[in-house]
């Protein structure tokens, strides 16, 4: 006899009598999918260009992703927004990035609709929709979709993964993370201890694949028929380019002939594979990229190794994706899993013109140094660095297109895209040319599953989905696209696609000085008028696939029409005001997790405090005081730290002495050590920084100052610090009290270097009252008494 069931909200259909023998039970029905509903797997690569997967002509080995293209469909006309968080909102909601209030990354949010970083609840996530239809939902890896002020332990948690329809989450909340020392979140809490140390072979790629397999296996062993939606975002190949040496060494010498040679060989291979049209032309040499034959021998050595590391990183990522694919095959789930693979934007130029051993130099406007890269050459890819390749490789990685991530030429917004679903499509190993955008993924999945977009989710009326399904192209190579118009805007760069034509208006132009681009002046109304009059370019991409022939002068009337359409779309989707600022937005005043205060208190055995919620000590006088109890025999360990190997500060004890280190973007370590040991018993241990000059943000120089260490008010060390971090400790840093589990700010200790004494609290005073002021104030109080 089957159980009688009823939908929640409907009347109870059973019978309730005075006693159980005269009653009939009924149960609330569980959410169940239709029989045979496919699993859905989104694999979202990070900063992986059009010409960097093997199946797109690259020399980099990606056999597992290639196998998906061989058994499914490779699309050559898929587009994203040009930046990670905005693209990811499109991928998950089916709405444009400004409609999702994610004009740029959450770190660059501003106080305007379209820009504030708060993805509206009326723009439901695919996870929320599928959860209501009986799917298990998992998110792994990079998130970066929560406003900065909401990712601390204070919450709120409704815009964390578990608040947006995912039942399980294991990954990191920010834009990138150290692959050896990631800042991990498990469901709704930060992970304090990593599963293994880097010395024991830990890498994030392996960890994420392990968790993905575990999540799926946990539920399939209970209900084999229940489908899942897995949103898998490894964070690769975003910086830092981290991979064990054996992976990078596979590519030794493979890139010694330079980026032009990479482009030419990849371009030829793309034509051979049919990935690009036969009449496509290779875009011209980028004006910001030096010719390889003009580079010095040392430069070539550095640049080649940087690319070897990147290639090894991508191949390792592919390997662990392959482990998930193999598990699905062994579990009998592979044939009925709808897999979509996409990159969130083009290859990244954030390593600067020379590349860098530390990406945080880019965010602080600090140029890379060749001698520094040479010194770290053998360590590139290892935990001692936070490296990123030179932008010549980003240009090459986007072959055959122009430019790269953050820009709206095709190099920034045209990305690899693979669809694989053996049970749902007949086509195998074919190429599709139809125009598509990341906003089309959600409606396509719903189309394949036979699910109508919901009118409401959790009682919230839903907005219209802005993308269109491309499911009709699966088994029909000649099917017309349904996506005819698409606007683009990213950090002032603009573009419009309209029925085979593209209008592009770059900011500040086709060539730029590195510092100007990173820290340039904001766009003004006068500049915008000038750009609208003279800055737009026009390409007939149906014929000129790679944007090589600007026909703006010959087709002036068409260009004017397209500019008008761009403004119409901008008004429709909350694109205005146009904002070309980049690094400056990091310092934009925005809501915070807690009110600003002059004194911050921190305690041991607590979760890391993310950068936006932690005390900001940059370019300001401050006093750090640890209230401790030192046991017999002494103690060691971190008292307070914020940052990573890429930059930050650490206040700690070692060998009986008190220490402080300021790591200036991995370039210089400013180290103070006390002249005497810290005695046993209860004490106040302090570090003081007194600003003595102004910062020069444009030159990447934070305020200089005088630093001192104190034991119970007695000065035990003093030094001048001529330059400090000017803008940010890095997008992966977090403040910790009593230990430092992140990558080591100083080589003086190994993480987590937990303090072995007792910490009652650590205070950070940014009121401007330094140790001398407090001593004088205390003497005045005592005198009054």
């Amino acid at each position: 006899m089957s159980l009688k069931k009823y939908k929640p909200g409907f009347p109870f259909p059973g019978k309730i009598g005075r006693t159980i023998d005269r009653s009939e039970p009924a149960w609330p029905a569980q959410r169940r999918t239709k029989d045979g509903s496919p699993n859905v797997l989104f694999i979202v690569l990070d900063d992986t260009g059009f010409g960097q997967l093997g199946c797109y002509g690259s020399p980099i080995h990606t056999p597992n992703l290639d196998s998906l293209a061989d058994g499914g469909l490779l699309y050559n006309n898929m587009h994203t927004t040009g930046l990670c968080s905005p693209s990811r909102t499109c991928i998950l909601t089916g709405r444009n990035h400004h409609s999702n209030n994610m004009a740029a990354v959450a770190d660059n949010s501003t106080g305007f609709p379209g820009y504030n970083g708060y993805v509206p609840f009326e723009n439901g996530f695919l996870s929320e929709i599928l959860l209501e239809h009986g799917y298990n939902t998992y998110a792994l890896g990079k998130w970066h979709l929560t406003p900065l002020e909401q990712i601390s332990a204070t919450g709120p948690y409704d815009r964390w993964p578990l608040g947006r329809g995912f039942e399980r989450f294991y990954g990191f909340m920010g834009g990138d993370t150290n692959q050896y020392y990631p800042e991990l979140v498990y469901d709704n809490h930060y992970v304090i201890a990593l599963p293994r140390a880097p010395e024991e072979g830990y890498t994030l790629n392996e960890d994420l694949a392990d968790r993905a397999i575990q999540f799926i296996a946990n539920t399939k062993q209970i209900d084999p028929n229940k489908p899942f939606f897995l949103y898998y975002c490894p964070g690769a190949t975003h910086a830092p380019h981290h991979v064990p040496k054996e992976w990078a060494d596979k590519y030794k010498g493979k890139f010694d002939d330079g980026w032009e040679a990479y482009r030419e060989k990849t371009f030829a291979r793309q034509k051979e594979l049919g990935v690009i049209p036969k009449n496509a032309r290779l875009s011209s040499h980028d004006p910001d990229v030096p010719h390889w034959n003009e580079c010095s021998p040392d430069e070539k050595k550095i640049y080649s190794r940087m690319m070897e590391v990147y290639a090894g990183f991508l191949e390792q990522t592919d390997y662990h994706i392959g482990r998930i694919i193999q598990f699905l095959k062994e579990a009998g789930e592979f044939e009925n899993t709808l897999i979509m693979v996409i990159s969130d934007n083009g290859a990244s130029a954030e390593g600067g013109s020379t590349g860098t051993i530390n990406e945080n130099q880019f965010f602080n406007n600090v140029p890379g140094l060749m001698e520094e890269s040479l010194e770290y050459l053998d360590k590139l890819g290892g935990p001692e660095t936070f490296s990123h390749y030179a932008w010549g490789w980003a240009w090459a990685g986007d072959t055959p297109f122009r430019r790269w991530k953050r820009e709206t030429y095709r190099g920034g917004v045209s990305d690899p895209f693979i669809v694989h679903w053996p049970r749902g499509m007949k086509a195998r190993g074919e190429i599709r040319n139809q125009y598509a955008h990341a906003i089309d993924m959600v409606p396509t999945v719903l189309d394949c599953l036979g699910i109508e977009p919901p009118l409401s989710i959790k009682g919230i009326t839903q907005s219209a989905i802005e993308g269109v399904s491309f499911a009709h192209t699966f088994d029909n190579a000649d099917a017309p696209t349904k996506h005819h118009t698409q606007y683009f805007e990213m950090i002032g760069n603009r573009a419009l696609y309209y029925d085979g034509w593209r209008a592009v208006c770059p900011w500040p132009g086709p060539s730029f000085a590195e510092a100007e681009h990173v820290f340039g002046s904001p766009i003004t109304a006068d500049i915008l008028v000038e750009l609208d009059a003279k800055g737009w370019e026009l390409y007939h991409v149906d014929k000129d696939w790679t944007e090589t022939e600007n026909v703006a002068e010959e087709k002036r009337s068409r260009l004017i029409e397209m500019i008008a359409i761009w403004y119409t779309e901008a008004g429709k989707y909350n694109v205005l005001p146009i904002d070309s600022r980049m690094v400056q937005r990091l310092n934009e005043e925005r809501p915070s997790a807690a009110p600003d205060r002059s004194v911050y208190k921190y305690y041991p055995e607590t979760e890391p405090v993310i950068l936006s919620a932690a005390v900001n000590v940059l370019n300001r006088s401050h006093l750090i005081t640890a209230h401790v109890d030192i046991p017999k025999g002494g103690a060691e360990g971190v008292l307070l730290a914020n940052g990573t190997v890429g930059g930050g500060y650490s206040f700690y004890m070692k060998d009986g002495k008190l220490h402080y280190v300021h790591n200036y973007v991995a370039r210089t370590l400013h180290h103070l050590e006390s002249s005497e040991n810290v005695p046993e018993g209860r004490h106040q241990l302090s570090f003081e920084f007194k600003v003595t000059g102004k910062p020069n943000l444009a030159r990447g120089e934070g305020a200089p100052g005088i630093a001192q260490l104190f034991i119970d008010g007695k000065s035990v060390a003093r030094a001048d610090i001529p330059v400090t971090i000017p803008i940010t400790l890095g997008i992966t840093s977090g403040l910790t009290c009593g230990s430092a589990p992140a990558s080591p700010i100083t080589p003086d200790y190994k993480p987590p270097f937990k303090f072995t004494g007792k910490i009652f609290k650590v205070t950070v005073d940014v009121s401007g009252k330094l140790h001398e002021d407090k001593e004088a104030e205390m003497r005045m109080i005592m005198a009054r008494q």
Side-chain angles (χ1 to χ4, degrees):
M1 182 177 176
S2 61
L3 295 174
K4 183 180 287 187
K5 299 178 182 179
Y6 63 100
K7 293 182 179 180
F10 283 74
F12 176 72
K15 180 179 178 182
I16 301 177
R18 293 180 67 188
T19 57
I20 190 65
D21 60 312
R22 295 180 181 273
S23 304
E24 295 178 4
W27 295 86
Q30 292 179 300
R31 293 176 299 200
R32 304 292 298 185
T33 58
K34 299 175 184 177
D35 289 343
S37 294
N39 306 305
V40 179
L41 168 57
F42 282 2
I43 299 173
V44 184
L45 302 173
D46 203 332
D47 290 1
T48 305
F50 187 90
Q52 289 183 321
L53 298 183
C55 55
Y56 279 81
S58 169
I60 300 172
H61 301 297
T62 54
N64 294 293
L65 293 173
D66 296 352
S67 72
L68 296 180
D70 290 341
L73 299 173
L74 182 152
Y75 284 75
N76 66 10
N77 212 1
M78 170 57 81
H79 296 77
T80 59
T81 68
L83 199 61
C84 54
S85 300
S87 293
R88 289 161 194 264
T89 67
C90 298
I91 289 166
L92 284 172
T93 70
R95 283 87 167 182
N96 285 298
H97 58 304
H98 292 87
S99 296
N100 290 322
N101 296 336
M102 198 69 76
V105 293
D107 317 61
N108 288 125
S109 59
T110 61
F112 297 96
Y115 288 76
N116 61 38
Y118 286 70
V119 181
F121 292 114
E122 55 266 32
N123 294 5
F125 281 26
L126 181 60
S127 48
E128 295 172 308
I129 298 171
L130 296 186
L131 185 66
E132 291 298 316
H133 284 268
Y135 275 70
N136 281 130
T137 54
Y138 319 118
L140 287 110
K142 175 171 173 173
W143 183 245
H144 210 201
L145 299 177
T146 302
L148 289 186
E149 60 271 18
Q150 294 190 359
I151 62 175
S152 73
T154 62
Y157 293 89
D158 52 358
R159 284 187 166 88
W160 288 43
L162 270 60
R164 295 305 311 246
F166 289 103
E167 297 170 302
R168 304 303 308 274
F169 173 63
Y170 186 80
F172 54 100
M173 297 294 287
D176 66 22
T177 195
N178 192 300
Q179 295 284 315
Y180 298 106
Y181 296 96
E183 297 77 25
L184 289 174
V185 169
Y186 200 152
D187 293 340
N188 271 0
H189 68 274
Y190 280 88
V191 175
I192 296 176
L194 293 175
R196 287 182 293 153
E199 298 80 24
E200 300 169 314
Y202 178 87
T203 64
L204 182 59
N205 264 334
E206 181 180 16
D207 192 7
L208 292 177
D210 287 346
R211 295 291 179 176
I213 292 168
Q214 181 189 65
F215 284 177
I216 297 169
N218 280 343
T219 54
K220 286 294 182 181
Q221 67 186 357
I222 297 170
D223 187 352
N225 296 318
K226 189 171 186 179
F228 63 82
F229 169 43
L230 171 58
Y231 176 65
Y232 188 78
C233 309
T237 49
H238 195 291
H241 296 163
H242 274 161
V243 73
K245 190 173 185 293
E246 60 268 22
W247 290 93
D249 284 351
K250 288 184 176 186
Y251 291 90
K252 272 195 171 180
K254 299 288 186 182
F255 306 108
D256 287 355
D257 50 359
W259 32 66
E260 292 101 341
Y262 179 105
R263 293 184 85 230
E264 289 162 5
K265 288 185 285 190
T266 298
F267 182 67
R269 180 68 175 150
Q270 288 171 337
K271 286 202 171 183
E272 179 186 332
L273 293 171
V275 172
I276 62 176
K278 291 182 178 179
N279 64 348
R281 289 173 286 185
L282 184 62
S283 58
S284 60
H285 197 289
D286 192 278
D288 289 319
V289 175
H291 290 269
W292 188 258
N293 60 13
E294 296 173 352
C295 298
S296 70
D298 281 346
E299 288 173 331
K300 290 179 180 178
K301 185 189 303 184
I302 293 166
Y303 299 154
S304 295
R305 186 56 180 172
M306 287 177 170
M307 188 58 192
E308 291 166 10
V309 169
Y310 176 88
F313 188 27
L314 179 54
E315 183 176 346
Q316 187 219 28
T317 303
D318 176 85
Y319 171 80
H320 288 292
I321 289 171
R323 292 177 52 224
I324 299 172
I325 292 170
Q326 183 60 33
F327 173 76
L328 293 177
K329 290 178 179 178
E330 293 170 357
E333 299 291 337
F334 183 67
E335 295 291 313
N336 198 30
T337 298
L338 171 56
I339 302 175
M340 293 185 177
V341 182
I342 193 170
S343 176
D344 57 4
N345 46 245
S348 170
E350 287 159 359
S353 60
T354 61
T356 179
I357 64 163
N358 174 23
E359 187 198 33
N360 199 32
Q361 292 175 350
F362 171 85
F363 292 112
N364 281 284
N365 214 37
V366 178
L369 297 176
M370 297 305 298
E371 56 266 32
E372 195 172 58
S373 295
L374 275 173
E375 180 185 348
Y376 279 85
L377 190 64
D378 292 336
K379 297 179 180 178
L380 288 177
E384 304 91 344
T385 65
F386 207 93
S387 60
H388 195 309
Y389 56 26
W391 63 26
W393 291 120
W395 170 61
D398 289 325
T399 302
F401 302 121
R402 305 172 62 174
R403 303 304 280 178
W404 40 58
K405 173 183 177 181
R406 302 190 318 272
E407 299 191 31
T408 55
Y409 289 109
R410 292 201 67 185
V413 300
S414 291
D415 294 293
F417 183 67
I418 300 166
V419 179
H420 186 277
W421 185 24
R423 194 170 294 179
M425 62 173 64
K426 297 175 183 178
R428 300 286 187 274
E430 297 182 12
I431 293 170
R432 293 291 181 265
N433 304 300
Q434 291 86 354
Y435 187 93
H437 188 276
I439 60 174
D440 300 333
M441 292 170 65
V442 166
T444 302
V445 170
L446 297 183
D447 192 0
C448 292
L449 271 54
I451 295 174
E452 291 293 326
L455 298 178
S456 67
I457 295 176
K458 296 180 181 178
I460 298 175
T461 301
Q462 294 294 287
S463 66
I465 288 179
E466 294 163 359
V468 294
S469 173
F470 52 81
H472 66 293
T473 69
F474 286 178
D475 288 319
N476 185 357
D478 298 321
T481 183
K482 295 180 180 178
H483 199 131
H484 300 285
T485 306
Q486 180 62 48
Y487 83 92
F488 297 86
E489 188 281 331
M490 187 52 60
I491 315 173
N493 296 276
R494 294 176 288 162
L496 180 84
Y497 171 83
Y498 181 66
D499 277 345
W501 292 80
R502 284 193 97 239
V504 185
C505 187
W507 171 264
S511 182
F512 53 81
E514 182 176 359
E516 179 185 36
H517 180 65
V518 174
F519 210 81
S521 59
I523 197 167
T524 64
D526 290 342
I527 293 174
L528 184 60
V529 169
E530 183 74 11
L531 283 172
D532 281 342
K534 300 178 182 178
W536 284 89
E537 303 164 10
L538 182 65
Y539 302 95
H540 192 184
V541 288
D542 269 0
K543 296 180 179 179
D544 178 20
W545 205 69
T546 53
E547 300 175 325
T548 61
E549 187 178 352
N550 178 12
V551 295
E553 290 299 321
E554 301 94 307
K555 302 288 184 180
R556 189 68 182 169
S557 60
R558 179 178 289 275
L559 176 61
I560 292 170
E561 177 191 11
M562 292 190 69
I563 296 172
I565 294 173
W566 187 91
Y567 274 101
T568 299
E569 298 294 288
K572 189 188 303 183
Y573 297 117
N574 289 330
V575 180
L576 302 177
I578 299 168
D579 189 349
S580 64
R581 298 172 302 158
M582 188 176 170
V583 171
Q584 299 97 315
R585 287 199 213 178
L586 292 173
N587 292 327
E588 184 83 2
E589 186 176 359
R590 57 174 59 88
S592 60
D596 285 339
R597 50 201 186 274
S598 58
V599 179
Y600 293 73
K601 298 178 183 178
Y602 297 104
Y603 303 94
E605 305 296 337
T606 54
E607 294 182 2
V609 181
I610 53 103
L611 185 64
S612 61
V615 58
N616 180 15
V617 300
L618 299 184
N619 304 314
R620 62 200 305 195
S621 297
H622 58 275
L623 177 66
I624 302 173
T625 302
H627 301 258
V628 302
D629 191 350
I630 307 298
K632 290 184 178 180
E636 68 171 8
V638 168
L639 300 167
L640 194 76
N642 196 352
T644 66
V645 68
Y649 61 88
S650 184
F651 184 39
Y652 61 99
M653 281 186 61
K654 184 182 178 186
D655 298 330
K657 301 288 181 66
L658 188 61
H659 296 258
Y660 175 87
V661 166
H662 183 94
N663 177 337
Y664 172 64
V665 296
R667 178 155 297 169
T668 310
L669 295 177
H670 301 290
H671 183 193
L672 279 76
E673 178 180 342
S674 63
S675 57
E676 55 191 68
N677 287 353
V678 178
E680 298 171 357
R682 294 192 63 160
H683 300 284
Q684 291 187 17
L685 312 178
S686 302
F687 166 78
E688 174 189 281
F689 182 75
K690 184 177 182 180
V691 170
T692 57
K694 294 182 179 180
N696 188 329
L697 305 186
R699 289 174 53 184
E701 298 174 355
I706 298 170
Q708 290 192 79
L709 293 175
F710 296 88
I711 299 175
D712 296 328
K714 177 184 176 183
S715 178
V716 291
R718 178 187 173 99
D720 290 328
I721 298 182
V723 63
T724 56
I725 296 172
I727 299 170
T728 178
L729 298 178
I731 58 179
T732 65
S733 64
L735 183 146
T736 53
C737 178
S739 68
S743 60
I745 295 165
T746 168
D748 205 22
Y749 58 75
K750 289 186 176 182
F753 203 45
K754 188 174 181 180
F755 188 65
T756 56
K758 181 175 179 59
I759 298 176
F760 298 98
K761 65 179 178 180
V762 178
T763 62
V764 184
D765 190 328
V766 290
S767 66
K769 291 183 178 180
L770 299 179
H771 199 275
E772 296 171 0
D773 303 317
K774 290 181 178 291
E775 289 288 308
E777 183 178 334
M778 184 58 67
R779 286 195 295 270
M780 290 178 61
I781 293 173
M782 295 294 292
R784 292 194 194 104
Q785 294 176 344

